[in-house]
Amino acid sequence: MLAEPLSVEPVPAVADAYPTVPTDGYSAPILLCINVTDTTVPSPLHGVLVAQLAAAGVDFHTVWGTGKHTQLNPQMWTAIEQFVARIQSSDNP
């Protein structure tokens, strides 16, 4: 199926760049709504992202759920409403 091993460029560079999310340089807060049962983005990747954001000093809040990818639970909806209110109040002192 593959003529070259996966360790031969450009595969490692492309694979390394593909699943990454910037973890620093944010000037505004971030809300993460994460489902630990997500099979599209597995939980170990969520854990790495959270750790990297914390290490970079990013202002973020995480709400955990048990749904599928992009599924929001009531706690997530509440967090979104509170997050939007927080952002709107900081934009209009």
Side-chain angles (χ1 to χ4, degrees):
M1 186 164 118
L2 297 171
E4 297 287 334
L6 295 176
S7 59
V8 174
E9 291 296 344
V11 175
V14 170
D16 186 48
Y18 173 73
T20 60
V21 173
T23 56
D24 62 7
Y26 292 98
S27 61
I30 297 172
L31 175 64
L32 298 175
C33 293
I34 296 175
N35 285 311
V36 297
T37 51
D38 186 344
T39 57
T40 303
V41 179
S43 285
L45 295 178
H46 295 139
V48 170
L49 176 61
V50 167
Q52 290 173 337
L53 290 171
V58 173
D59 177 9
F60 74 99
H61 177 70
T62 307
V63 181
W64 300 94
T66 56
K68 295 179 181 178
H69 190 66
T70 71
Q71 207 170 25
L72 300 173
N73 64 29
Q75 293 82 5
M76 291 175 176
W77 281 113
T78 299
I80 291 168
E81 291 168 359
Q82 292 171 347
F83 181 78
V84 170
R86 174 183 165 201
I87 299 304
Q88 288 176 337
S89 69
S90 67
D91 286 343
N92 299 308

